[in-house]
Amino acid sequence: MTIYSSESIYRQGIGNIIRMMISDFSKSRELVWRLFLRDFTSRHKQSLLGWLWIVLMPLMTMGTFLLLNMSGIIKIGDIDIPYPIFGLMSFSIWNIFSNGLAITTNSVTGAGGLVQKINFSKDSLVFASFGQVVIDFLIRAALTLGILLLYGRVPLTSFFLFPIVLLPLVFLTLGVGMMTSLLQAISKDIVSFVNLGTGFLLLLMPVMYSAEQVGVLGKLNAVNPLYYLVIVPRDIMLYGEVHHLAGFVLSGIFGLIIFIFGWMFFYLSQTKLAERI
Amino acid sequence: MNDLFLLGALDTVRKIQAKNISAVEFVASCLDQIGKTEPKIHAWVHLDRKYALAQAAKIDKKIATGQKIGMLAGVPVGVKDIFNTADFPTEMGSPIWKKFTPGNDARVVSYLRWEDAIIPGKTVTAEFAVHTPGPTHNPHRHGYMTGTSSSGSAAAVASFMVPLALGTQTAGSTIRPASYCGVYGMKPSFGMVPRTGMLKTTDSLDTVGFFSRSIDDLRLLLDVLRVKGRNFPYIHRAVDRQQPVRKNKRKWKVGVVTSSLWVWDKAEVYAQDSLRLFASTLSKQNGIEIQEVKLPAEFNRAHQIHSVIYDKTLSYYFKDEFKKKTLISPVMYEIVERGQRITLDEYKKALDEQNFLSRSFARLMDAYDILLTLSTGGEALKGLQSVDRPDSCLIWTLCGAPIVNLPMFIGPNRLPFGAQLVGRRYGDYGVLSFASFLVTNGISPRTADYFLKT
């Protein structure tokens, strides 16, 4: 004896699946907000330094780069503005990707009990976790503004375009994060790979330094979408200049495609999550 | 009012909404009728009177507190015992699954509850909705068959126990009992009504069906149970976006299927005469253009194709039951055994032929709005276990077409039998409109009420 079960979601067609994803997300907005608040309030519990970590992290990274520069190991290169401003802004943007990826990768497995006990839209966990990255960025951007003023510089109007120019990077991060969060449910090694990869990329790309892009590194960065999605917004915000517009637009489209693909991959696979965790 | 049970679904909802009657009063009246008739008819396999009244009381409370009520508020609906129900066992007419509780509602049962329908219990089905009949007697004559497999549902509606009931059709399991019991029956287009939570017998044929005592009630049930919206692209394009079928600007093109079907030759002479006479009446009506249809030659293989698909899938889905030989009927055993001998290639070929037939049917229907033929080859036969006449519905089921049984003819034993109206796939509302046209214009010689109240 067999009973008819629900129709497979795979037979709905891509257009309908995307509509369902958006509709489900819209319905779970309240849940995303509640999960975000939960993460926000519990984030620095039992931490001695608490919110100071948001500032300490970029300071330590900048310090490391300055030390390496003074030792002649790496060249920070010619920068038209004081390094604290350049470094803090660059780190803040880079952190959207690196920390965003780490935090979204852990978001589903981190909520194991919830996933096993309650039937809800699991992508809410990914979106809510990304909220912490947004908060970090906003705090660091405000700090950058403060430092700019301390140096007697007036922030450019283009500085405030960040919600638009950083959107492609957010899409790319969420898209990759959706996929890695599922893979993390299969193997706990994924988040280590993510941290290793983003650490490597930070050195590979002129995020914390401004060296000329020549040789193999230059060729690699020329085809690296992340390069355009980090460097171009930084240049717009700090210098009001747009270089590599074509690369930025193409990378933006790539980021959007990865986001849709990643979200769809997550959406279609999420029913299997509870049994994996 | 002791005769509330005579009301149809639509009238009941209107009266409950207008607070002319309460849901409890109506359900109590139906339960009284069940109490009087059930001992002879045996339409129910599970029935819970207290639970039915409690559901009705909730509807009344909703009304009293000014809450919005559903399209079927306070209407008891019989549910064939092959649909999962959370609150009743689902035994599928088999001792193997005695007291089996699936713990959930089939999708259609959920839809009924969302619209505030009352589920008083489960109706008798043939064993696994196949051939071996249950204990249900024809409400018009004790000791006569009701037709399988949705026998309890048809009998419950025919004997005024409930205004609506759910059945299923894989060959003729809705239209046949509707014909023998003298009620309206509908098998919607394949794919129009969700099957989740329903017993699976044949994937490419199983369809949810309905019984009622009026065309309007069939339409109401179709509105409630059919799939809708963009998540169902085919139905959305073919049904949701379509405007009302016609505004009497064009004549109905009706094709009468008689000589070309081999089952027609097996029909009783009186049944053939009745349909011919009705076709002749139709031909004199304004607004109807009638023509005799000769089905393409490939339709002659319909029964063989159906048999291969049906037997093979039954042998697959009931292989565990097959091992319990003493607990299944000889007929079921024989079908499964036969199905096991059918090779996968033969099955795939039959599925291809089914597709070919469906396309051929779609081409044929370019020329007609409706096909008209006999629902059964005559009236109900004596004896619950009698061997029935060849099925005259499965050919349309095979094509995924919508079918409506009109109760209109009387056999030599004064028992009813029907004519079936067949439409284009997804032209369900068109078939209902034509049926409505026949009934409201008095063209259909008798309505369900004629059989049921005499």
Side-chain angles (χ1 to χ4, degrees), chain A residues 34-243:
Chain A
R34 291 285 158 202
L35 288 169
F36 165 73
L37 287 180
R38 181 200 66 170
D39 294 344
F40 183 75
T41 49
S42 63
R43 188 174 174 192
H44 294 296
K45 271 186 184 170
Q46 294 178 308
S47 162
L48 279 176
L49 297 177
W51 290 93
L52 268 180
W53 279 112
I54 296 176
V55 184
L56 280 178
M57 289 291 286
L59 288 180
M60 283 163 74
T61 311
M62 282 156 57
T64 309
F65 272 87
L66 279 172
L67 200 65
L68 290 171
N69 181 50
M70 284 189 291
S71 314
I73 298 170
I74 62 160
K75 281 183 189 172
I76 283 180
D78 297 328
I79 299 166
D80 298 338
I81 53 172
Y83 187 70
I85 299 170
F86 177 86
L88 187 57
M89 193 71 260
S90 300
F91 183 88
S92 306
I93 295 174
W94 174 251
N95 195 67
I96 291 176
F97 180 75
S98 64
N99 194 32
L101 204 52
I103 214 164
T104 50
T105 302
N106 267 326
S107 61
V108 176
T109 45
L114 205 64
V115 173
Q116 283 171 328
K117 287 174 195 158
I118 306 167
N119 183 23
F120 67 105
S121 217
K122 314 293 183 300
D123 44 10
S124 307
L125 291 166
V126 181
F127 287 116
S129 67
F130 195 76
Q132 307 309 315
V133 180
V134 176
I135 292 291
D136 287 1
F137 176 80
L138 291 175
I139 291 172
R140 286 170 185 150
L143 198 64
T144 311
L145 276 177
I147 298 173
L148 269 170
L149 295 171
L150 271 178
Y151 275 94
R153 288 168 177 259
V154 180
L156 299 169
T157 320
S158 59
F159 184 93
F160 300 97
L161 286 176
F162 70 84
I164 298 165
V165 293
L166 289 174
L167 206 57
L169 182 65
V170 170
F171 279 141
L172 181 71
T173 310
L174 278 171
V176 180
M178 292 273 187
M179 290 186 269
T180 50
S181 65
L182 280 178
L183 296 174
Q184 174 75 0
I186 298 167
S187 166
K188 296 283 185 287
D189 299 330
I190 298 300
V191 75
S192 306
F193 279 119
V194 165
N195 289 331
L196 200 69
T198 51
F200 180 63
L201 279 171
L202 179 65
L203 295 173
L204 206 69
M205 291 163 52
V207 178
M208 299 300 289
Y209 56 90
S210 178
E212 277 294 308
Q213 292 297 293
V214 288
V216 180
L217 208 57
K219 283 177 187 169
L220 276 175
N221 280 327
V223 292
N224 179 5
L226 200 54
Y227 169 80
Y228 299 103
L229 297 182
V230 173
I231 305 302
V232 174
R234 182 190 67 192
D235 289 349
I236 292 174
M237 289 168 71
L238 290 181
Y239 305 114
E241 293 169 0
V242 185
H243 303 290

Side-chain angles (χ1 to χ4, degrees), chain B residues 339-384:
Chain B
Q340 286 172 342
R341 288 197 296 270
I342 295 168
T343 65
L344 207 55
D345 284 341
E346 286 171 320
Y347 173 64
K348 284 178 181 167
K349 189 175 169 243
L351 284 179
D352 289 342
E353 286 186 278
Q354 185 190 359
N355 282 333
F356 178 70
L357 216 59
S358 298
R359 287 197 297 272
S360 178
F361 174 75
R363 280 194 299 277
L364 176 77
M365 291 307 283
D366 284 342
Y368 303 100
D369 296 315
I370 298 289
L371 294 185
L372 172 73
T373 185
L374 285 170
S375 294
T376 48
E379 62 183 0
L381 300 172
K382 192 174 182 182
L384 303 190

Side-chain angles (χ1 to χ4, degrees), chain B residues 111-166:
Chain B
Y111 287 177
L112 291 174
R113 292 192 206 272
W114 289 350
E115 294 298 338
D116 291 330
I118 312 290
I119 312 293
K122 307 289 282 287
T123 56
V124 169
T125 172
E127 179 196 32
F128 298 120
V130 183
H131 288 310
T132 309
T136 312
H137 291 253
N138 193 305
H140 300 279
R141 191 77 50 87
H142 195 75
Y144 279 68
M145 58 163 58
T146 48
T148 55
S149 63
S150 312
S151 42
S153 290
V157 172
S159 52
F160 291 93
M161 296 178 180
V162 283
L164 299 171
L166 293 187

Side-chain angles (χ1 to χ4, degrees), chain A residues 1-4 6 12 16, chain B residues 197-198 200 206 230-231 317:
Chain A
M1 186 271 291
T2 312
I3 300 290
Y4 280 102
S6 298
Q12 300 285 336
N16 280 316
Chain B
M198 176 185 124
K200 192 182 267 199
D206 291 340
R230 290 172 184 275
N231 287 344
Y317 290 125

Side-chain angles (χ1 to χ4, degrees), chain A residues 233-274:
Chain A
R234 182 190 67 192
D235 289 349
I236 292 174
M237 289 168 71
L238 290 181
Y239 305 114
E241 293 169 0
V242 185
H243 303 290
H244 313 299
L245 183 64
F248 180 66
V249 171
L250 285 175
S251 303
I253 293 168
F254 175 75
L256 188 65
I257 292 169
I258 291 290
F259 173 66
I260 294 169
F261 177 78
W263 192 7
M264 198 180 287
F265 177 65
F266 186 98
Y267 188 80
L268 295 175
S269 318
Q270 61 177 330
T271 48
K272 300 282 176 198
L273 271 174

Side-chain angles (χ1 to χ4, degrees), chain B residues 122-393:
Chain B
K122 307 289 282 287
T123 56
V124 169
T125 172
E127 179 196 32
F128 298 120
V130 183
H131 288 310
T132 309
T136 312
H137 291 253
N138 193 305
H140 300 279
R141 191 77 50 87
H142 195 75
Y144 279 68
M145 58 163 58
T146 48
T148 55
S149 63
S150 312
S151 42
S153 290
V157 172
S159 52
F160 291 93
M161 296 178 180
V162 283
L164 299 171
L166 293 187
T168 57
Q169 178 152 316
T170 307
S173 290
T174 295
I175 299 301
R176 184 173 44 236
S179 172
Y180 287 154
C181 292
V183 292
Y184 293 100
M186 178 174 196
K187 183 213 84 83
S189 295
F190 183 79
M192 277 282 275
V193 180
R195 303 184 293 184
T196 306
M198 176 185 124
L199 176 70
K200 192 182 267 199
T201 62
T202 309
D203 305 69
S204 64
L205 297 166
D206 291 340
T207 314
V208 177
F210 329 131
F211 299 94
S212 76
R213 296 190 296 264
S214 77
I215 296 294
D216 288 343
D217 282 0
L218 282 186
R219 187 180 284 114
L220 175 68
L221 211 43
L222 183 65
D223 285 343
V224 168
L225 297 183
R226 78 173 178 85
V227 296
K228 311 167 185 81
R230 290 172 184 275
N231 287 344
F232 303 92
Y234 288 112
I235 309 283
H236 186 59
R237 265 199 304 274
V239 184
D240 296 356
R241 287 186 183 174
Q242 295 298 311
Q243 296 303 310
V245 182
R246 66 176 53 242
K247 293 171 182 171
N248 292 329
K249 285 181 182 169
R250 192 168 62 83
K251 285 186 173 184
W252 289 98
K253 287 188 179 172
V254 179
V256 183
V257 185
T258 51
S259 53
S260 57
L261 268 181
W262 70 269
V263 281
W264 172 262
D265 301 330
K266 308 271 182 189
E268 310 289 350
V269 175
Y270 67 81
Q272 295 175 347
D273 290 344
S274 299
L275 189 79
R276 285 202 184 98
L277 186 65
F278 178 59
S280 153
T281 313
L282 278 188
S283 65
K284 292 168 193 155
Q285 299 295 323
N286 285 331
I288 297 177
E289 196 179 303
I290 202 155
Q291 203 178 340
E292 190 154 322
V293 179
K294 187 162 175 62
L295 292 179
E298 56 264 29
F299 278 76
N300 291 331
R301 270 190 50 76
H303 280 70
Q304 287 102 304
I305 297 166
H306 187 279
S307 172
V308 170
I309 297 172
Y310 190 58
D311 295 356
K312 184 66 186 172
T313 48
L314 286 178
S315 75
Y316 180 77
Y317 290 125
F318 293 92
K319 48 182 177 288
D320 291 333
E321 285 77 5
F322 180 73
K323 290 172 193 160
K324 299 169 184 167
K325 188 177 178 181
T326 53
L327 294 174
I328 63 170
S329 66
V331 174
M332 185 74 188
Y333 189 85
E334 193 188 314
I335 293 174
V336 174
E337 201 176 34
R338 209 162 53 220
Q340 286 172 342
R341 288 197 296 270
I342 295 168
T343 65
L344 207 55
D345 284 341
E346 286 171 320
Y347 173 64
K348 284 178 181 167
K349 189 175 169 243
L351 284 179
D352 289 342
E353 286 186 278
Q354 185 190 359
N355 282 333
F356 178 70
L357 216 59
S358 298
R359 287 197 297 272
S360 178
F361 174 75
R363 280 194 299 277
L364 176 77
M365 291 307 283
D366 284 342
Y368 303 100
D369 296 315
I370 298 289
L371 294 185
L372 172 73
T373 185
L374 285 170
S375 294
T376 48
E379 62 183 0
L381 300 172
K382 192 174 182 182
L384 303 190
Q385 305 290 332
S386 297
V387 177
D388 208 345
R389 301 179 186 90
D391 192 303
S392 45
C393 313

